[in-house]
Amino acid sequence: MVVTRSGTTCAQSSSSDESAKKRKSNPDVPEMVDTFRGWESDKQTNFVKGLLGEMCHEQHWQIDAALRPYLMRDFISALPEYVSEQILSYLDAKSLCSADMVSKRWREIISNGR
């Protein structure tokens, strides 16, 4: 058992598969998600912050792992090529060489912009 900052206790689960099974078996989850979608952005944010305050440390790690793909976006590849070239043109030679090694797409953009 772990005590959260609000004073509630959390039982740490033995695996994430166990918690996934619980979510799938809970018929209220789709209704909760629909309700959440109907809220204004500020209310959604405050609600999630409140949930985070009620979670255990292990749950924070699970949320962190779930959020990483959403937060780690390749903004250069997502932009039109001419915009990416313009942004990368501000890099000095050493930084440009480093950027060239980030991904194949970045290498293409840098090569096309030279």
Side-chain angles (χ1 to χ4, degrees):
M1 292 288 204
V2 176
V3 179
T4 65
R5 73 178 174 178
S6 67
T8 58
T9 57
C10 294
Q12 290 182 325
S13 63
S14 58
S15 72
S16 59
D17 292 335
E18 185 179 311
S19 60
K21 288 177 189 174
K22 287 179 185 176
R23 280 193 309 273
K24 288 179 184 174
S25 66
N26 186 344
D28 295 333
V29 171
E31 290 177 23
M32 288 185 263
V33 171
D34 285 341
T35 300
F36 180 82
R37 285 183 184 138
W39 293 341
E40 297 287 329
S41 179
D42 289 345
K43 185 173 182 179
Q44 289 176 340
T45 302
N46 289 333
F47 178 75
V48 172
K49 285 180 180 179
L51 284 177
L52 290 170
E54 296 299 319
M55 291 180 174
C56 302
H57 186 70
E58 183 178 320
Q59 291 170 314
H60 290 148
W61 281 105
Q62 292 171 5
I63 296 299
D64 178 64
L67 286 175
R68 282 179 195 247
Y70 295 100
L71 299 174
M72 296 184 152
R73 294 186 182 166
D74 182 0
F75 66 94
I76 291 291
S77 296
L79 294 170
E81 191 164 328
Y82 72 94
V83 175
S84 298
E85 288 174 0
Q86 183 66 33
I87 292 169
L88 293 172
S89 73
Y90 290 99
L91 296 177
D92 59 43
K94 184 178 178 182
S95 298
L96 201 55
C97 288
S98 295
D100 185 69
M101 295 185 280
V102 169
S103 70
K104 289 179 184 178
R105 181 68 185 133
W106 282 40
R107 184 174 301 117
E108 290 171 6
I109 294 168
I110 292 167
S111 296
N112 293 340
R114 288 187 180 166

